[in-house]
Each structure stands twice: as structure tokens, then as C-alpha cells.
Amino acid sequence: MNERNEDGNDQDRYLLFTLGQDLYGTPLMGVREVVEYQKAKPIPHTVKAFLGVINIRGEIIGVLDLRARFQYQLEENREVAMMVFGTENGTLAAVADRMEGVVKIPKDAIDPTPRVENRLPPAYLLGIGRCRDRLVTLIDLPKILEREEIGSISGSNGLRAAS
């Protein structure tokens, strides 16, 4: 995932993933790594989409199910994977149905203000990108949870998500 553009930066590279039948993307620079799905240890009294915590190489990381967060039907899926990313309050992992790969979507192929009804609050939406013959909903992964929700997750039961 460390591919670089000809000009040496990754600003127009996006990690594509699916939720249900819908294609999403997030800036590659914001994703620390993609890992196989791990069953999370539940933590009581957290937001509905928060699955619990996992251990990745000694770091305790909170897990958010994007399918639940965006109100998709939760189905058993063997291809489920996790994206690990940093937020201003620590590291989180996000569960998606399937990872599709990394693509280049130049700025001129992104409509930052699409007139669409969707399940996303505007703060999460970076725009709608055109990639080959498909449209991609581009989201800002670190903003998926509101600041106070991340705080309640990282502070749950004395656990602190590491940055």
C-alpha cells in the first residue's frame, strides 16, 4: 500500500471498500493498515456500532462496525476486514464487508458537493468520485464518530486507545 504517484505523493489514492452493495473510499494516507477480522472483546455502555477492543501487536484498539454505523443490514460475511486508522483521540479499527483495493482518483474526478440523499452526515463526506465506470462515496474515516463518541470509547472502563 505504499505505492506513490509519479509526483511522489499519495494524496489522490484511496482505499476502496464495500458496505452492503455500496462502494466507499477513504484517503489512503489516513489508513495505517488493513488487517484480517478479529473478534472484538465487548465493552459495556458504548455506542451501538462499537464492537469492543482488539489487540494488534500489543496495542489495544477500539473496533467500529461501519455497517452498523451507516445502518446497513449486518450479514455474516467471510471477507470482512478491518482498516486501522488514527483519530485525534487514538487509534481505531473499522469493519467493512470487503476491501476492494487502492485506486487513484484525481481531484477533477471528485464532486465535493454532490446533491444526494445518503446515510452520511455531511462532515463525513469528502465527495463522490468517479473511478473507471463506478461511482465511489468518499468518506473521512477519522470523522466517522463524533468527538464525544470517540471520547466515550477511548475512556471506557479505564481503557485508553493508544495513538
Side-chain angles (χ1 to χ4, degrees):
M1 272 203 230
N2 289 331
E3 295 181 38
R4 297 215 173 263
N5 297 340
E6 307 78 56
D7 60 3
N9 69 49
D10 289 324
Q11 290 186 344
D12 56 357
R13 292 209 180 264
Y14 293 85
L15 174 62
L16 300 185
F17 58 93
T18 58
L19 299 175
Q21 300 299 313
D22 299 326
L23 185 61
Y24 288 84
T26 193
L28 181 61
M29 294 294 290
V31 179
R32 191 171 87 184
E33 63 185 309
V34 174
V35 297
E36 287 185 30
Y37 177 79
Q38 298 178 37
K39 183 168 174 51
K41 178 193 180 317
I43 302 293
H45 309 294
T46 56
V47 296
K48 185 176 182 177
F50 185 69
L51 299 178
V53 294
I54 59 173
N55 180 351
I56 296 181
R57 290 181 296 285
E59 183 178 8
I60 303 301
I61 297 174
V63 179
L64 171 72
D65 192 330
L66 291 177
R67 300 167 304 173
R69 180 68 175 150
F70 295 152
Q71 300 164 358
Y72 281 88
Q73 174 117 13
L74 300 180
E75 298 175 10
E76 194 63 33
N77 183 343
R78 297 195 188 281
E79 297 182 59
V80 173
M82 299 173 143
M83 299 170 277
V84 178
F85 61 99
T87 71
E88 59 187 46
N89 288 323
T91 304
L92 289 174
V95 176
D97 284 323
R98 186 175 61 243
M99 296 299 142
E100 296 286 332
V102 175
V103 297
K104 179 180 176 182
I105 304 176
K107 286 186 193 293
D108 62 356
I110 298 171
D111 181 351
T113 56
R115 290 175 173 66
V116 294
E117 278 295 316
N118 62 48
R119 305 172 203 209
L120 293 171
Y124 304 167
L125 187 63
L126 298 173
I128 302 295
R130 293 178 301 282
C131 179
R132 299 181 193 101
D133 61 344
R134 298 174 77 184
L135 295 179
V136 181
T137 303
L138 300 174
I139 60 173
D140 187 344
L141 209 48
K143 288 185 180 174
I144 294 304
L145 287 178
E146 285 85 13
R147 194 171 294 168
E148 60 274 6
E149 289 176 321
I150 292 174
S152 73
I153 290 170
S154 62
S156 294
N157 289 347
L159 293 173
R160 193 90 181 118
S163 319

